[in-house]
Amino acid sequence: MKKYFFLFIVASIFFSCDKKSKVESAVEEIPVSMKVIRFDQEFFETKPANLPKLKAKFPFFFPEGTPDEYWNEKIQNQQWRQLYQEVEKRYKDFNPEKAEIETLFKHIKYYFPQIIIPKIYTVIAEMDQNTKAIYANDKLLIALELYLGKDHKFYSDFPVYLKQNFEQRQLMPDIVSSFASGILPVTTDKELIVQMVNSGKELYLKDILLPDYTDAEKIGYTDEQIKWSQENEGFIWRKFIEDKLLFSSDSKLGNRFINLAPFSKFYLEIDNESPGRIGQWMGWQIVKSYMENNPDVKVQQMLKMDAKELFEQSKYKPKK
């Protein structure tokens, strides 16, 4: 009996690897060539007298009503110029990133053939961690000042839980997050399980679009935070059930378990050990369980599913 069970496991692994290799082979054949526009370089190398030409070339970067004095001051400001110099040190040659983004969009095109391949615009924005990478139809905006490495001197005022993801390796997951926000159904349902599953859908997209990335990189955790989540999965699930949180619409639950935070808030001693956004991680496990138990369901179908229906059909059981 053990022999047959072993053979079944080996066959399953082989089938899974073969299916993956077929997908990756098909992805490689998809033609994707993307243009990079270095707006950051053009902006900081512009002389004040040439600002009107730059505004005419890139009108979408210059909101109406903002006086030229604002832009001229930014171009000449020493702190902004120092930041530009640091970006140049790290990303003067953007070709490695361009190649990786093209590979990402080959994967996106494989699963979503209707999408538009955008032009890539590199910028130095306003150090806003909420707008690190923005995908908007024919444009992909990348704020390079937030990918200089978590220990960079310019990040000294940021809390650790934010700057740990100011790494080059977070660029692709951030692009997928922005892409996901445009294709996931919008819902007004505030129940925790809905927020969890919708977050899990986004993270599952990272599984298929970024196959060479680790789980830690996909969600923006450290390896230690992933380990903690795995080791405490059963406890977290029991706590959600015992406290009747799954189907609660309490407005505080998003900040406790879904949104960016230094840790999750169970209101227990264990809080300081936990990573923030643990509800997202749990939702990810639920979506993975659903896709494993429903192999005939296409990704596009799963993304459109009602979150509570997906949960009910997931057969999710936390690992002990």
Side-chain angles (χ1 to χ4, degrees), residues 41-52 54 72 75-76 81:
Q41 293 175 343
E42 295 214 32
F43 181 82
F44 283 100
E45 296 302 326
T46 291
K47 304 297 182 185
N50 294 326
L51 182 61
L54 187 68
N72 284 326
I75 290 171
Q76 299 174 73
R81 295 203 67 80

Side-chain angles (χ1 to χ4, degrees), residues 15-29:
F15 176 77
S16 177
C17 292
D18 184 57
K19 181 179 179 181
K20 181 179 178 181
S21 65
K22 287 180 179 178
V23 169
E24 290 304 308
S25 296
V27 165
E28 289 176 5
E29 297 300 316

Side-chain angles (χ1 to χ4, degrees), residues 225-236:
Q225 289 173 324
I226 285 288
K227 183 179 179 183
W228 186 95
S229 303
Q230 293 169 337
E231 291 176 348
N232 290 277
E233 184 177 352
F235 161 79
I236 298 164

Side-chain angles (χ1 to χ4, degrees), residues 258-269:
I258 301 295
N259 303 332
L260 278 168
F263 52 84
S264 294
K265 300 175 182 66
F266 297 95
Y267 304 137
L268 299 170
E269 289 184 9

